[in-house]
Amino acid sequence: LGRDRRKRTRRAVRGAGEREARTHFEVIELLPADTYVRAKLETGRTHQIRVHFAAIGHPVAGDPEYGTAGRHGLQRQFLHAAMLGFTHPASGERLSFESELPPDLAAALELARTEGP
């Protein structure tokens, strides 16, 4: 990913000053007009998930920059860090945290299950 050559506030696949970025994903559920996925990052680039999914024609729901703002009634992108893990820089201890889907995203998911294309 690198800086979008036409709009400098955006990132792009094959953009200026590109750096390697890897996103793995698995389909959790096929919806009438969307797909609910779990993404796992190998790298942590700015806008990485948003850019990668937009690049393959599947922008993140509610994304005003790379997709469509307000989709499924969202006031933000349908992105949630369900699990974060890292090694503590001082102690070397492996830390892991999990979080349930917040109410606004759960409501958007239910709406997406009933909305057609």
Side-chain angles (χ1 to χ4, degrees):
L1 297 181
R3 195 170 293 282
D4 189 305
R5 295 175 201 285
R6 287 169 284 180
K7 189 172 181 187
R8 299 204 33 88
T9 58
R10 290 174 48 126
R11 301 287 180 200
V13 172
R14 303 281 184 231
E18 69 182 22
R19 295 174 67 191
E20 183 176 353
R22 282 193 196 158
T23 303
H24 303 275
F25 69 94
E26 67 176 303
V27 173
I28 303 300
E29 183 179 353
L30 294 173
L31 305 168
D34 296 280
T35 305
Y36 186 37
V37 300
R38 176 178 295 121
K40 184 175 180 181
L41 304 178
E42 249 186 70
T43 53
R45 307 291 179 219
T46 301
H47 299 186
Q48 180 174 326
I49 294 171
R50 298 165 67 193
V51 173
H52 277 165
F53 281 101
I56 62 170
H58 297 282
V60 172
D63 188 337
E65 188 69 34
Y66 301 95
T68 304
R71 189 157 172 77
H72 306 305
L74 289 167
Q75 299 297 309
R76 63 182 179 120
Q77 301 99 7
F78 195 116
L79 286 175
H80 174 64
M83 186 175 76
L84 291 172
F86 59 92
T87 302
H88 191 281
S91 69
E93 177 186 5
R94 181 72 183 156
L95 300 173
S96 182
F97 304 91
E98 293 187 26
S99 174
E100 295 294 321
L101 197 62
D104 66 329
L105 296 185
L109 179 57
E110 285 306 312
L111 192 58
R113 287 179 171 137
T114 61
E115 288 183 342

